Amino acid sequence: MLNELRSLVSDIQFAETELKRLTRENQKTGEGMIEQVFEIAKNVLTFEPIFKKASMFGTRMEQREYFYRSDGELLKGFLINSSLEYSGNANGEETEEFNELFLTEDRKLICFYTVHKYPDSRKHSMQHEVTRFEAHFDDEEIYYGSVIRSLSKMLKSRYQELMTRKELMLERLKDLDSVRIDVEEF
């Protein structure tokens, strides 16, 4: 029995050491790949100021408080992923809570826990309050491949949107050319 316990403890210690090594390797490789993706995509990413709190969200009278970097500049980021964690009624208010992952303009991944509170339990109201809390995440929680795929998917979607808009503009120009021909006939 003692030999079995010694063997089991030895196996656990080996597994823990291996897990730490794999975690470090995952973090180093993932961060390196994020850095490469950032360098490739930085000219087409739009980094927006990340707000801490917004009242009357979605209206013209919206008011926001922002996060700031340690140098006093606004913290700006690009939302990569948002996952719904909770949706329901809490303390008489309709509430939705999200985990959000941003890529910042200084190439770091930052996680926020974001809470949307809707007045009078009107979930689809545009006028609601949003609060973001910076959340700590463990390196073991980050799926760098998923982050990169999500960013790639967003860029593909943006490209398709731009191509659709370009086609529309070409159609409009073609239409203007036909009007120009008609006008010249007068």
Side-chain angles (χ1 to χ4, degrees):
M1 179 72 162
L2 289 177
N3 286 336
E4 183 179 324
L5 286 174
R6 282 187 187 105
S7 177
L8 186 56
V9 166
S10 178
D11 290 347
I12 289 171
Q13 288 172 328
F14 178 77
E16 286 176 339
T17 302
E18 188 65 9
L19 178 59
K20 286 178 185 176
R21 183 189 67 75
L22 291 170
T23 300
R24 283 191 307 271
E25 187 177 328
N26 178 59
Q27 181 181 5
K28 182 179 177 183
T29 303
E31 287 176 353
M33 290 182 78
I34 293 288
E35 179 77 24
Q36 290 174 353
V37 167
F38 182 89
E39 282 302 313
I40 293 167
K42 69 181 176 186
N43 294 326
V44 296
L45 295 175
T46 304
F47 294 96
E48 303 280 338
I50 301 173
F51 64 90
K52 184 185 299 188
K53 189 171 193 166
S55 57
M56 300 184 75
F57 186 74
T59 69
R60 289 186 296 155
M61 297 177 3
E62 179 177 302
Q63 295 178 347
R64 292 181 174 189
E65 296 174 32
Y66 293 95
F67 284 102
Y68 291 88
R69 299 185 326 206
S70 59
D71 63 3
E73 294 292 318
L74 280 173
L75 177 63
K76 293 182 180 180
F78 181 82
L79 179 63
I80 292 177
N81 190 23
S82 180
S83 61
L84 181 65
E85 298 297 316
Y86 171 79
S87 180
N89 196 308
N91 301 325
E93 290 183 300
E94 194 65 35
T95 303
E96 289 183 331
E97 299 176 4
F98 298 86
N99 271 327
E100 296 179 326
L101 187 64
F102 285 84
L103 175 62
T104 66
E105 61 186 349
D106 59 351
R107 304 173 178 160
K108 290 188 174 42
L109 292 173
I110 297 180
C111 187
F112 291 95
Y113 195 77
T114 305
V115 179
H116 292 250
K117 291 185 180 180
Y118 298 88
D120 305 321
S121 292
R122 292 190 315 255
K123 186 173 182 179
H124 299 291
S125 169
M126 287 296 289
Q127 179 181 335
H128 65 281
E129 185 175 295
V130 180
T131 307
R132 278 196 177 107
F133 305 94
E134 192 166 352
H136 174 74
F137 58 90
D138 195 329
D139 294 323
E140 290 181 31
E141 295 175 19
I142 298 250
Y143 291 85
Y144 290 98
S146 178
V147 169
I148 293 167
R149 278 189 290 284
S150 180
L151 186 56
S152 175
K153 183 178 176 182
M154 292 170 127
L155 291 172
K156 286 176 185 175
S157 177
R158 182 166 175 208
Y159 175 73
Q160 289 172 342
E161 176 191 339
L162 289 170
M163 293 308 292
T164 300
R165 290 175 58 200
K166 177 184 168 189
E167 289 299 317
L168 179 61
M169 285 300 129
L170 288 171
E171 286 177 25
R172 288 179 181 176
L173 282 171
K174 192 175 184 179
D175 184 48
L176 284 173
D177 282 343
S178 71
V179 171
R180 186 177 311 150
I181 293 169
D182 291 345
V183 172
E184 291 172 358
E185 292 176 3
F186 284 109

